[in-house]
Amino acid sequence: MSYIFGHRGLPHVHPENSLDGINKAFTYAEYVETDVRLTKDNNLILFHDPYINDYLIQDLTVNEIELLLPGISIDQFILESREQIKGKVNFEIKTNEDVLFQKVSSIANKDDIISSFHWEGIHNFKDIFTSEYGIILNNEDDLFEAKALSIHDERIFFMVEKGLVNSRNFDLPKERTSAWTVNDESEFKRLIEIGLFGIITDIPDTMQLYKK
């Protein structure tokens, strides 16, 4: 069975990575993928880009970020408790900071997935994760190392750029592979038939119609 992941919540209805959008996405998706960063004052913020108005998020406090985003409720993007999110989450850790890995690990539920482009960070902290964990791939050369990891680590998940699934070098366990970001209906149906674990999409409300 393949699961739908709402990419950054429900971004065509709510601001991406907002708590309202994330929780609304669970109406249509079994998981939500959201980006996690760390502010200067060590708060978790759900935000994709590293900068706000040319300022690095990691150099800003929550109060400073709020001043840079007039008219936007900062509470929609600050994660203080896992209870703020009402379903299963794929937390994508955006920066390779030990504190960030530790803080996300401390709040993640056992059915959540912690993933990152920073493979070393996932490797270093996998023994403390009580949740699932995975690595993100967007380069065909990564498939060879990922295949080796799949053999030696039977728990690790793979979050793969959708085009890599078509590569002749793709040989990852489908039951642990999710493809991103799939917004084409025919491609979605094809990946469902392949039997991938997850399909990450910006439009889970549309794609769930094709899963039935």
Side-chain angles (χ1 to χ4, degrees), residues 3-7 9 22 25-26 28-33 87-90 111-113 132 157 197-198 204:
Y3 298 104
I4 296 176
F5 286 54
H7 185 228
I22 288 169
F26 290 120
Y28 314 104
E30 290 84 11
Y31 284 83
V32 164
E33 182 271 350
K88 292 182 282 191
V89 186
N90 171 200
D111 292 327
D112 293 337
I113 303 171
E132 305 292 354
F157 280 77
F197 176 82

Side-chain angles (χ1 to χ4, degrees), residues 20 24 37 42 48 50 94-95 121 139 161 180 200:
D20 282 350
K24 181 62 177 178
R37 295 184 178 276
N42 283 339
H48 176 266
K94 302 300 288 187
T95 58
N139 188 306
E161 193 279 324
W180 53 273
I200 303 169

Side-chain angles (χ1 to χ4, degrees), residues 134-189:
I135 56 174
I136 307 174
L137 298 76
N138 66 350
N139 188 306
E140 187 161 0
D141 291 340
D142 293 337
L143 288 172
F144 302 102
E145 185 175 355
K147 173 61 177 177
L149 287 172
S150 75
I151 295 170
H152 295 290
D153 185 344
E154 295 183 352
R155 285 189 57 198
I156 193 167
F157 280 77
F158 304 94
M159 325 308 283
V160 177
E161 193 279 324
K162 61 184 179 182
L164 296 181
V165 179
N166 300 322
S167 168
R168 63 181 180 180
N169 295 316
F170 177 80
D171 189 26
L172 297 175
K174 296 181 179 65
E175 70 277 9
R176 287 186 276 146
T177 298
S178 298
W180 53 273
T181 302
V182 181
N183 295 324
D184 178 80
E185 296 158 9
S186 60
E187 186 172 31
F188 176 88
K189 289 188 281 189

Side-chain angles (χ1 to χ4, degrees), residues 33-38 44-48 89-108 113-119 121-122 125 128-129 131-136 159:
E33 182 271 350
T34 188
D35 306 296
V36 190
R37 295 184 178 276
L38 197 66
L44 297 177
I45 184 169
L46 307 178
F47 213 86
H48 176 266
V89 186
N90 171 200
F91 290 106
E92 181 184 334
I93 293 183
K94 302 300 288 187
T95 58
N96 196 19
E97 301 169 271
D98 288 357
V99 174
L100 179 54
F101 277 92
Q102 291 164 349
K103 287 181 75 73
V104 174
S105 176
S106 71
I107 68 168
I113 303 171
I114 297 174
S115 64
S116 183
F117 278 106
H118 302 286
W119 295 16
I122 294 294
F125 287 96
I128 72 165
F129 292 152
S131 66
E132 305 292 354
Y133 56 86
I135 56 174
I136 307 174
M159 325 308 283

